[in-house]
Amino acid sequence: MDEQTDCGVPNACARKVPGWLVAVDNGPTGLLFILGAAVLWLLWWPLALGYAAYCAASIVLFWAVICPYCHHFDTNACPCGYGRVAPRYFRRRTGGDFRETFRHNIAIMFPVWLAPLMGGIYLLWAAFSWPAFIILLAFCVDGFAVIPGISYFVGCKGCEIQDCPWRPNG
């Protein structure tokens, strides 16, 4: 795709997100998946394997259901890099409101955060251990502070898309 592609937002598609920023955006997500699997492994190893499979499937579902409505679809402006990957497998969809599509479908990702959190709380209640506590704490800091912080303060910096769900008043 060339830099002149029109995504409907003035100046937004000309933005090129560098590879290091894509890595910064995705690194904590990968860590979240690993920490979540570690928490669930401590409960029962098949849960960890199921969780890992769900993590992979949830990303592909995100690409299929949410990304095709985003203004960054098929551009270099997507801070997580999905805007470049999703078009390889899915077509752009028109006629939808990205903000509403995102809000109605983001539940795809909820189990990625909730399964390890609930499993970890149960694990600490049933058989407290410091290693389990530390892994769960790292999972919570990463998932509930680092990832949202990177999305809001780094990935969204300089973006001009007004209907993005990450914008506080957008």
Side-chain angles (χ1 to χ4, degrees):
M1 188 197 95
D2 67 275
E3 293 179 39
Q4 302 303 318
T5 300
D6 181 18
C7 65
V9 180
N11 302 320
C13 294
R15 173 175 102 147
K16 280 192 163 196
V17 175
W20 68 266
L21 183 58
V22 172
V24 165
D25 197 80
N26 285 288
T29 302
L31 180 61
L32 182 84
F33 295 167
I34 292 167
L35 292 170
V39 167
L40 295 175
W41 186 275
L42 294 173
L43 276 174
W44 188 45
W45 67 267
L47 281 177
L49 298 180
Y51 173 79
Y54 186 84
C55 288
S58 69
I59 295 297
V60 175
L61 281 170
F62 194 98
W63 295 342
V65 177
I66 297 173
C67 290
Y69 291 98
C70 181
H71 300 289
H72 290 161
F73 189 80
D74 204 16
T75 74
N76 291 316
C78 177
C80 63
Y82 293 0
R84 298 300 303 151
V85 177
R88 295 179 186 179
Y89 306 103
F90 306 100
R91 294 179 193 208
R92 176 182 292 284
R93 295 188 186 154
T94 58
D97 175 3
F98 175 64
R99 179 182 274 281
E100 286 304 310
T101 299
F102 187 94
R103 286 190 173 160
H104 284 116
N105 294 292
I106 193 59
I108 293 166
M109 301 304 293
F110 288 175
V112 171
W113 271 265
L114 296 179
L117 179 63
M118 293 185 321
I121 290 169
Y122 171 77
L123 184 63
L124 294 178
W125 175 75
F128 180 86
S129 74
W130 284 108
F133 176 78
I134 291 167
I135 294 169
L136 181 61
L137 180 62
F139 173 86
C140 289
V141 168
D142 185 46
F144 299 106
V146 174
I147 290 174
I150 288 172
S151 293
Y152 186 78
F153 293 110
V154 179
C156 297
K157 187 175 184 177
C159 181
E160 298 181 21
I161 295 177
Q162 296 297 312
D163 70 344
C164 182
W166 286 106
R167 286 179 93 73
N169 298 317

